[in-house]
Amino acid sequence: MNKKVFSLIYAISCSVLWGTAFVAQDMGMDYIGPYTFSAARLYLGCIALLPFFFIFELKKITQSKLNFKIIIPYFFLLGFFLAAGNIFQQISLLYTDVANSAVFTVLYVVIVPVIAYFLFSKKIHKSVWPSVLMCLIGGLLLSELDNLRVRFGDSLVVVGAFFWAFHIVFISKFLK
């Protein structure tokens, strides 16, 4: 199969999964609280990815000479950003609807290049900004255009978007 077609299939699959996850998050809040849901979500994600780590990455890690005094704090920092973004997003569903939560979470796409530029002086390629604009327009079209008021939950999602953005930026730095 062509790599471009393969990549497109994975991108669409990821978008469908990401989009439907918001509905599952909202429905889950009918039965359990936001902290329990977030903890279960992160735990299940860890358990699901652990076999892939052992199959594909463990050999590489054992062969490389890694400084664990540097790596362990990065793991805690990345875990903090991931958990905080997840928790803010989940709590926001108590105060806003799914559509607004999804739209405001998309703001991390705008925040990532800004953080990378200001924190790490990373040059932002000119192709990023049209992509960011298209993402924002797409997110806006997916929202409820007849109900554009900003609620408390929306501000929580924006705070969560900053944590998601920091998570992405620091993963990029950590991997280098």
Side-chain angles (χ1 to χ4, degrees), residues 16-175:
V16 169
L17 232 120
W18 184 73
T20 56
F22 276 103
V23 176
Q25 282 178 258
D26 190 44
M27 291 176 66
M29 294 290 286
D30 294 340
Y31 302 101
I32 57 177
Y35 296 107
T36 306
F37 190 92
S38 295
R41 180 180 178 192
L42 292 172
Y43 177 74
L44 286 173
C46 178
I47 295 301
L49 291 175
L50 216 50
F52 294 104
F53 169 77
F54 285 117
I55 294 169
F56 297 113
E57 300 295 328
L58 186 62
K59 187 176 179 182
K60 293 177 195 173
I61 290 174
T62 54
Q63 290 175 349
S64 65
K65 306 244 190 283
L66 297 174
N67 186 352
F68 284 101
K69 289 182 181 179
I70 295 173
I71 291 175
I72 298 300
Y74 262 110
F75 279 152
F76 279 106
L77 184 66
L78 291 173
F80 170 75
F81 288 144
L82 180 66
N86 193 346
I87 288 169
F88 272 102
Q89 185 182 65
Q90 196 63 38
I91 291 172
S92 75
L93 290 173
L94 296 172
Y95 304 104
T96 192
D97 54 10
V98 176
N100 281 10
S101 182
V103 168
F104 285 115
T105 299
V106 168
L107 287 177
Y108 80 88
V109 174
V110 178
I111 299 168
V112 166
V114 172
I115 290 173
Y117 177 77
F118 283 111
L119 282 185
F120 301 110
S121 301
K122 185 173 190 241
K123 300 281 187 211
I124 308 301
H125 192 269
K126 62 183 177 183
S127 67
V128 169
W129 300 114
S131 304
V132 165
L133 183 64
M134 287 175 35
C135 182
L136 288 175
I137 291 171
L140 183 65
L141 292 175
L142 290 173
S143 70
E144 297 177 76
L145 292 174
D146 59 334
N147 186 12
L148 288 178
R149 62 188 177 104
V150 177
R151 302 176 209 142
F152 175 66
D154 299 336
S155 59
L156 291 176
V157 176
V158 171
V159 172
F162 273 94
F163 282 108
W164 291 117
F166 276 112
H167 184 255
I168 291 168
V169 169
F170 277 94
I171 280 180
S172 172
K173 281 298 180 190
F174 175 67
L175 291 177

